[in-house]
Amino acid sequence: MVLTAAPCSGTLPSQRWRFQEPSEKGDIGGKLKAASGNLCIDAGSTKPLLFACMPGHDFLGQRWVLHRNGWIEAPRYWADNGRKKLAARCLDSRPFRDVELVGAECRGPEQASIVWEKLWETTPLETRLLQEAHSAKAAAEATKSEGQEE
């Protein structure tokens, strides 16, 4: 089922939702469930869908965070051992149209003083471990050479 935005009538059961708190301590977000059945808003694909509510806390596509400012956010998560990454997304009643992206030489944006914002910046675990090993080795060698100078 596809989720659509429509004016609220206040009386239609299909327009009534409830937030189910997380089932496990430490879980991020809960489920947005239709009050009239066992359907949840699912963000596991490119567009939110209505899907049968999945039991348990492992089904991350149906997790939502309700923010104090009114935002309803599907938190970022990864699946399939890191091969699938989904950035955080929000439900939006008035979304903007997609922005066309084009490739350009690096000098062009630099000359135009374009500033980039890094989103979901992460260092892979393997890279971090390698960097830590190199740092530890360099520190051990520095300590060893200091001991030989004395």
Side-chain angles (χ1 to χ4, degrees):
M1 295 181 117
V2 177
L3 187 66
T4 59
C8 291
S9 71
T11 58
L12 289 175
S14 63
Q15 292 183 340
R16 302 203 41 90
W17 297 89
R18 66 179 183 264
F19 182 73
Q20 180 182 354
E21 295 290 337
S23 58
E24 299 282 328
K25 187 177 180 178
D27 281 353
I28 296 173
K31 296 179 189 266
L32 285 174
K33 295 180 80 168
S36 61
N38 191 35
L39 292 176
C40 286
I41 299 178
D42 190 303
S45 64
T46 56
K47 293 183 179 181
L49 303 170
L50 290 177
F51 196 78
C53 295
M54 303 301 286
H57 66 279
D58 292 335
F59 198 74
L60 301 175
Q62 293 182 351
R63 295 267 183 90
W64 296 91
V65 176
L66 304 181
H67 293 277
R68 288 186 176 158
N69 63 2
W71 290 354
I72 302 173
E73 175 190 23
R76 72 180 185 172
Y77 72 92
W78 56 270
D80 194 17
N81 214 14
R83 287 183 279 276
K84 292 181 182 177
K85 292 182 182 177
L86 290 167
R89 293 167 289 163
C90 291
L91 291 179
D92 191 346
S93 63
R94 286 177 260 146
F96 289 99
R97 65 175 183 81
D98 291 339
V99 176
E100 183 180 335
L101 296 178
V102 294
E105 290 289 327
C106 291
R107 287 184 219 100
E110 288 172 356
Q111 292 170 350
S113 300
I114 292 176
V115 179
W116 295 93
E117 177 185 358
K118 292 183 180 181
L119 297 175
W120 204 354
E121 181 182 5
T122 60
T123 302
L125 175 62
E126 297 83 358
T127 303
R128 208 169 59 237
L129 292 172
L130 182 64
Q131 291 169 341
E132 290 171 5
H134 285 307
S135 296
K137 183 178 178 183
E141 289 175 356
T143 304
K144 184 178 175 183
S145 66
E146 287 176 7
Q148 291 177 350
E149 290 176 4
E150 294 176 4

